[in-house]
Each structure stands twice: as C-alpha cells, then as structure tokens.
Amino acid sequence: MAETPASQRGVYGISVAAELSGISPQTLRLYERRGLVAPSRTDGGTRRYSEDDLRQLQRVAELVEAGVNLVGVAHIVELEQHNVRLRRSNDELTSDNSQLESDNARLRAERGD
C-alpha cells in the first residue's frame, strides 16, 4: 500500500491549524461542515489538519476576502481541483503519446519504412 504523502498527513490539531491559518476554530468547523476542507480524524475523532488542508484554508480565506460567499467558494474550489486533475491527466496522455510516437518511429526504422 502506498504511503500517504507528507503534505496530506494530518498533524495539526484545530487550535494549531487556527493559529497557523488565522481562521478561528469555529470558522474551521463551519468550513468543514460546508465541505470546504476535510481534515483527517484520529481514532478518537480529533481533527488533524495537514499542510494541504492549510493551503486549502488559505485559498478559501482569499476567496472570502474577495467577497465570494461560501457557496461560490465551494464551486470555485471544486472547479480548481477538477482543473488540476484534468491537467495531470493531460500531462499523462501527452507523455503516453510521445512514448507511442517514439516507439512507432523506432518500429518504422527497424522495418525500413
């Protein structure tokens, strides 16, 4: 099984996450209820925020500061995450295509085409 990347490991409790992000614990709980952040949980149910969660909170805070309501923030964040996935998929497809073109050229050269 693959190990969780360090940036995704929940290591900060809610009070530390609040201090690091500048967002109150109550607001962090609200953002979680709204699906804007999803901290991991310990076996006892304690929230644990990761570096990725803190980056996500920063983005949410930027959008709220710009006047976007939480419903809009949720849509923007979802679209941004979808865009990242599409870029990764495109990069993989581009790489696969390059490899196929290279293999095809090699095979043509071997056949003398």
Side-chain angles (χ1 to χ4, degrees):
M1 182 178 224
E3 188 173 320
T4 304
S7 68
Q8 294 178 4
R9 288 189 205 121
V11 295
Y12 304 111
I14 194 165
S15 60
V16 175
E19 185 176 333
L20 292 172
S21 67
I23 300 170
S24 74
Q26 297 85 353
T27 303
L28 292 176
R29 289 184 195 98
L30 171 65
Y31 289 172
E32 183 180 1
R33 282 193 305 274
R34 295 290 181 98
L36 300 174
V37 67
S40 62
R41 299 281 184 145
T42 65
D43 291 339
T46 303
R47 289 171 180 87
R48 290 289 181 223
Y49 292 83
S50 67
E51 291 293 330
D52 287 352
D53 293 329
L54 293 177
R55 275 191 289 281
Q56 180 76 2
L57 288 168
Q58 179 61 42
R59 181 64 179 138
V60 169
E62 290 170 359
L63 292 168
V64 168
E65 179 67 25
V68 180
N69 68 29
L70 294 183
V71 172
V73 169
H75 287 297
I76 290 168
V77 167
E78 181 182 333
L79 288 169
E80 288 175 343
Q81 291 170 347
H82 183 68
N83 195 26
V84 167
R85 288 189 301 272
L86 287 172
R87 282 187 184 140
R88 285 184 187 140
S89 179
N90 188 51
D91 289 346
E92 289 173 15
L93 289 170
T94 299
S95 176
D96 290 348
N97 189 51
S98 293
Q99 183 62 49
L100 288 170
E101 287 175 344
S102 175
D103 290 348
N104 193 20
R106 181 183 47 81
L107 288 171
R108 272 185 278 168
E110 288 175 0
R111 287 190 314 232
D113 291 352

